[in-house]
Amino acid sequence: QKEVEQNSGPLSVPEGAIASLNCTYSDRGSQSFFWYRQYSGKSPELIMFIYSNGDKEDGRFTAQLNKASQYVSLLIRDSQPSDSATYLCAVKGGGSGNTGKLIFGQGTTLQVKP
Amino acid sequence: DGGITQSPKYLFRKEGQNVTLSCEQNLNHDAMYWYRQDPGQGLRLIYYSQIVNDFQKGDIAEGYSVSREKKESFPLTVTSAQKNPTAFYLCASRTDRGRIGYTFGSGTRLTVV
């Protein structure tokens, strides 16, 4: 079973700080990596995706990918209370072919305290 | 606006009863997926379909059934064989063009009473 692992948290940071969320995956052939934000009782929404090693920035969010270490992270700069949510890491494995199946981690709960 | 519509938002099932969750999309997406989420857990794949009239089992298909008679629709039936159906059910779709992730519906919360 291909796995995606996240620390369930909660991760607590003060408002304005940088929140760092981490994810590791077991399938070395994984191709695409996604971060979803999920508010309590709501469905996940896509906030970042990354395919190549290195950093990808979008506003206050930066995704970082290291395929050699099988590690993907999400940094949230200037954290706001509205960022408080569960963040799901999802991976499209190398064995997914053209099915597009994503494997999800269990999510990390982020709490941003005013 | 294009999107995915799941209904109902809340559903209550009695023991031994089959129930069907609706999922409709107007995004012209080819692939559709059903996931189950338990409290504090990630999403687990139940079934998926890449084209009309074809679907495949995911990791936890036992006790569930699906159909894909139209591109827009991918209903999920939770049968009486599913012994622990209480969960949050999410439908998603994906275009074959590009490598963008899923678009999710708003979910159906199923409770056994």
Side-chain angles (χ1 to χ4, degrees):
Chain A
Q1 175 70 17
K2 309 301 183 184
E3 292 185 351
V4 176
E5 296 190 1
Q6 299 178 252
N7 187 325
S8 60
L11 172 66
S12 183
V13 300
E15 184 174 357
I18 296 175
S20 177
L21 303 154
N22 306 314
C23 173
T24 59
Y25 59 94
S26 62
D27 182 3
R28 189 169 287 278
S30 296
Q31 304 168 350
S32 311
F33 306 86
F34 304 86
W35 283 100
Y36 286 85
R37 178 176 62 199
Q38 185 177 28
Y39 293 111
S40 181
K42 303 296 185 182
S43 62
E45 58 177 319
L46 180 66
I47 55 172
M48 289 288 289
F49 57 91
I50 186 168
Y51 309 129
S52 304
N53 277 329
D55 295 358
K56 179 181 179 182
E57 186 174 318
D58 183 1
R60 295 186 297 112
F61 298 99
T62 298
Q64 299 175 317
L65 175 62
N66 184 326
K67 289 187 177 181
S69 299
Q70 295 176 239
Y71 178 94
V72 58
S73 64
L74 179 70
L75 302 178
I76 306 175
R77 291 180 299 281
D78 187 24
S79 295
Q80 302 297 309
S82 59
D83 294 325
S84 298
T86 296
Y87 290 80
L88 299 168
C89 174
V91 175
K92 180 174 179 293
S96 296
N98 195 34
T99 67
K101 289 190 295 181
L102 296 184
I103 301 170
F104 287 81
Q106 73 270 37
T108 298
T109 299
L110 172 66
Q111 297 174 345
V112 180
K113 298 192 173 181
Chain B
D1 289 336
I4 300 179
T5 301
Q6 288 188 244
S7 62
K9 189 175 179 68
Y10 299 97
L11 185 59
F12 298 92
R13 192 194 93 166
K14 295 181 180 179
E15 294 284 348
Q17 188 179 43
N18 292 356
V19 293
T20 297
L21 285 59
S22 171
C23 178
E24 303 276 337
Q25 55 101 356
N26 61 4
L27 299 165
N28 199 34
H29 285 176
D30 296 297
M32 298 186 74
Y33 307 82
W34 274 106
Y35 282 85
R36 167 180 173 145
Q37 186 176 34
D38 293 284
Q41 301 295 314
L43 279 63
R44 292 185 291 166
L45 182 64
I46 305 172
Y47 267 99
Y48 65 101
S49 169
Q50 294 180 269
I51 57 172
V52 174
N53 292 324
D54 188 46
F55 48 83
Q56 286 79 39
K57 293 181 179 180
D59 300 318
I60 55 165
E62 184 175 353
Y64 300 97
S65 65
V66 294
S67 63
R68 186 86 186 275
E69 298 177 1
K70 299 186 300 181
K71 186 176 184 178
E72 300 80 16
S73 179
F74 192 40
L76 174 74
T77 296
V78 184
T79 74
S80 57
Q82 173 49 243
K83 298 307 179 186
N84 185 23
T86 295
F88 189 43
Y89 290 86
L90 288 158
C91 179
S93 70
R94 181 186 68 89
T95 178
D96 282 340
R97 294 179 293 279
R99 294 185 283 180
I100 307 229
Y102 297 162
T103 299
F104 281 95
S106 58
T108 293
R109 191 165 300 279
L110 174 63
T111 304
V112 174
V113 296

